[in-house]
Amino acid sequence: MLQLSFIRENKDRVLKGLKVRNYADKDLGIIEEVIALDDKRKSTQKSLDDQLAQAKVLSKQIGGLYKEGKRSEGDALKEQVASLKEQTSQLQEELKAAESQLTEQLLSLPNIPHESVPAGNTDEDNEVFKDWTEELPVLTGDALPHWELSKKYTIFDLELGTKLTGAGFPLYRGKGAKLQRGLINFFLDEGHEAGYEEIIPPLLVNEDSARGTGQLPDKEGQMYHCTGDNLYLIPTAEVPITNIYRNVIMDEKDFPVKLCGHTPCFRREAGSYGAHVRGLNRVHQFDKVEIVRIEHPDKSYEVLMEMLAHVEKLLQKLELPYRILRLCGGDLGHAAALTYDFEVYSAAQKRWLEVSSVSNFETYQSNRMKLRFRNEDKKMQLAHTLNGSALALARIVAALLENNQTPEGIRIPKALQPYTRFDILN
RNA sequence: GGAAGAGUGGCAGAGCUGGUUUAAUGCACCGGUCUUGAAAACCGACGUACCUUAACGGGUACCGGGGGUUCGAAUCCCUCCUCUUCCGCCA
């Protein structure tokens, strides 16, 4: 959620940012609407406060008069306060209405993109930030996509998952299960090496948490909702881990906050079926190690690059060809100011698969969840939040299987072998 | 799931037979005096949000969340949440 003060003071920048996000000219009026609503809110509160102050003084006088036994004088004052009350309750309603309208408008406004975000509509317009300069692996003609390899070597079973749950819930077995476990531990250990504290959070969160990181109301239909208890299955560890800091006032010396955690992620992925979602390319449940940072605003972009380097190192150790994209305005998530996507080349499918998304949310999330710190001048200031996948499993597995297939089986990268405890999957 | 009790400012803790409570007091933190330095002692400041003011300051709201009664609510009522103890169930 953008801060009103920011919108007021940086109107041009906000408008420019919305344009980068492909807002039509006619929709830009929302900014003026928001400011007008805020004016209305302010003036309403001013008159409400004045009246309440009057009523308060009078009420105190009534108490005094009653004590002195001056009942009739007290009763006379009562009538005055009663009529004041009618006005205040009306003003109160107006104030409430203005506030809720304002909140609704503010929630609908996306974050303002960082100045480096390229304009554009679709993923076609994303900018290649770092390309893969070596040759892309080329497989022989009989190379198999990962869903075929899976059948050949019994790695995961989508049919069984369908039997147990439904489409998109893979069941891993044998060496496939060990590969999963190995990857998770590898990623967590790398996170630990880089100074991240490991968290095992709850996999269900309440409404406040879902709102804090921006899943509600923006992505309501994308989460599994347990209506009986009004809890949501997490779509990413970002939600519980970042919300640790919801409603927290930090001290400047508490920075940096570096957290990581492995969780399964649950996504309904409503409406996204098609040729590109075969196998593990898009599933409803997958495992992911997430890294989360809470940072001083002056440091956050430096930290973003540091996170990029961390993810890059993981892919290098896994010996996977990758490239880094800078998302364009149209592809950028609602809450992010700047996002880099990592894509891994899947040789059998001959396409790039998104395996990580690293974002700086600046104050957008922290404003929603009231995550603040006391700065040098002892003043309250919103912190910056960042997060990134390091890494998401399902697609990494897909790429590993495909790129490393040999006639003898699937070759496990060296860095992973201590974790899988086998060097070939067959 | 059942019964009882409780949730007050960073912490502890009073107020809870409704009206100088602008939420006492202690501790912690911060600033100052004293000291070579520190401790102790003493003095002072010490919440959050919003509104207002050029600024000093002033105003309103907040005593787990929400709603209600009343001229007036931390205090009474309703409801939800959380915690503690006991019982039941259980990996």
Side-chain angles (χ1 to χ4, degrees):
Chain A
M1 195 157 71
L2 294 175
Q3 294 170 90
L4 264 165
S5 54
F6 178 83
I7 296 176
R8 280 179 177 278
E9 286 159 29
N10 303 278
K11 216 189 306 183
D12 289 345
R13 211 186 131 194
V14 170
L15 289 171
K16 212 174 115 198
L18 292 179
K19 278 187 191 156
V20 173
R21 284 189 182 266
N22 306 312
Y23 265 57
D25 283 345
K26 65 177 171 60
D27 295 329
L28 293 175
I30 188 170
I31 297 304
E32 290 302 336
E33 279 173 42
V34 161
I35 291 175
L37 262 173
D38 190 42
D39 288 338
K40 162 93 175 133
R41 185 194 115 253
K42 283 183 178 179
S43 62
T44 309
Q45 184 174 345
K46 177 84 180 100
S47 24
L48 176 63
D49 282 0
D50 288 348
Q51 300 212 352
L52 284 176
Q54 275 186 54
K56 220 167 142 178
V57 170
L58 288 173
S59 289
K60 260 187 191 159
Q61 286 177 8
I62 295 172
L65 288 169
Y66 275 12
K67 257 190 188 162
E68 295 170 32
K70 296 176 179 165
R71 257 209 118 67
S72 57
E73 286 178 44
D75 289 342
L77 277 184
K78 260 196 200 180
E79 278 174 40
Q80 263 192 57
V81 182
S83 69
L84 257 176
K85 269 304 251 212
E86 275 175 44
Q87 298 173 50
T88 56
S89 61
Q90 197 192 327
L91 282 171
Q92 222 135 23
E93 268 169 45
E94 279 176 36
L95 183 64
K96 239 185 200 172
E99 273 173 349
S100 68
Q101 276 179 52
L102 192 57
T103 308
E104 200 183 310
Q105 297 273 45
L106 284 175
L107 283 175
S108 80
L109 280 177
N111 201 351
I112 298 309
H114 185 261
E115 54 189 9
S116 68
V117 169
N121 277 305
T122 65
D123 53 6
E124 307 268 305
D125 302 317
N126 293 336
E127 173 188 304
V128 178
F129 176 72
K130 181 169 183 183
D131 210 349
W132 182 253
T133 50
E134 296 168 45
E135 275 191 37
L136 288 170
V138 177
L139 299 173
T140 54
D142 56 352
L144 300 170
H146 66 274
W147 51 89
E148 299 291 345
L149 290 167
S150 169
K151 287 204 173 114
K152 187 170 172 187
Y153 299 116
T154 323
I155 297 164
F156 60 90
D157 191 328
L158 282 165
E159 286 75 24
L160 260 183
T162 303
K163 175 184 177 183
L164 299 175
T165 310
F169 289 90
L171 174 148
Y172 298 88
R173 63 194 312 170
K175 281 187 172 171
K178 288 189 188 348
L179 176 61
Q180 289 279 314
R181 192 152 53 87
L183 279 164
I184 292 165
N185 283 331
F186 169 65
F187 293 146
L188 284 173
D189 282 357
E190 291 290 319
H192 173 81
E193 289 287 309
Y196 290 88
E197 182 192 358
E198 185 177 340
I199 303 286
I200 301 181
L203 304 182
L204 287 99
V205 293
N206 59 29
E207 228 179 296
D208 286 343
S209 296
R211 194 170 298 111
T213 29
Q215 275 67 30
L216 290 179
D218 323 345
K219 300 178 192 159
E220 170 106 55
Q222 292 298 325
M223 283 187 295
Y224 289 97
H225 186 195
C226 306
T227 51
D229 298 286
N230 196 24
L231 297 172
Y232 294 87
L233 269 82
I234 58 171
T236 158
E238 162 199 344
V239 178
I241 293 181
T242 313
N243 270 284
I244 292 172
Y245 285 86
R246 172 157 47 83
N247 267 320
V248 167
I249 300 170
M250 303 172 56
D251 202 277
E252 205 169 21
K253 64 176 183 287
D254 297 332
F255 295 125
V257 173
K258 305 173 74 173
L259 303 171
C260 73
H262 154 251
T263 68
C265 302
F266 304 92
R267 299 187 182 180
R268 293 186 64 221
E269 303 289 5
S272 56
Y273 294 95
H276 280 174
V277 305
R278 284 198 76 177
L280 297 178
N281 287 347
R282 174 160 289 163
V283 284
H284 291 306
Q285 178 182 332
F286 61 94
D287 289 84
K288 179 160 65 65
V289 171
E290 183 80 359
I291 51 177
V292 172
R293 311 269 309 232
I294 317 282
E295 293 288 341
H296 192 288
D298 295 347
K299 277 269 171 72
S300 68
Y301 280 97
E302 192 181 308
V303 164
L304 184 66
M305 296 321 286
E306 191 191 302
M307 292 167 79
L308 238 52
H310 178 73
V311 174
E312 220 177 332
K313 198 174 88 186
L314 297 177
L315 292 171
Q316 285 164 359
K317 286 195 177 179
L318 291 176
E319 302 164 35
L320 290 167
Y322 65 91
R323 64 178 188 183
I324 307 175
L325 303 178
R326 180 146 56 192
L327 294 195
C328 72
D331 217 18
L332 194 62
H334 192 79
L338 179 58
T339 295
Y340 292 96
D341 269 9
F342 281 76
E343 292 186 333
V344 157
Y345 189 70
S346 161
Q349 299 181 67
K350 295 196 176 63
R351 54 186 282 241
W352 293 93
L353 296 175
E354 182 195 332
V355 293
S356 175
S357 199
V358 185
S359 307
N360 188 352
F361 300 92
E362 297 192 1
T363 60
Y364 196 87
Q365 288 183 329
S366 57
N367 189 36
R368 270 193 186 196
M369 65 173 110
K370 299 285 166 272
L371 160 48
R372 294 162 295 173
F373 69 99
R374 240 178 264 280
N375 64 21
E376 263 183 328
D377 306 326
K378 305 273 179 205
K379 289 261 170 61
M380 286 295 184
Q381 200 178 334
L382 291 167
H384 280 192
T385 62
L386 305 95
N387 65 54
S389 352
L391 279 162
L393 252 64
R395 292 184 192 152
I396 286 285
V397 170
L400 272 181
L401 297 180
E402 291 174 4
N403 293 358
N404 295 353
Q405 55 187 303
T406 69
E408 293 75 39
I410 317 266
R411 189 181 54 79
I412 301 296
K414 259 213 171 58
L416 208 53
Q417 289 173 11
Y419 292 91
T420 53
R421 299 164 82 178
F422 53 81
D423 53 14
I424 194 135
L425 196 162
N426 51 20

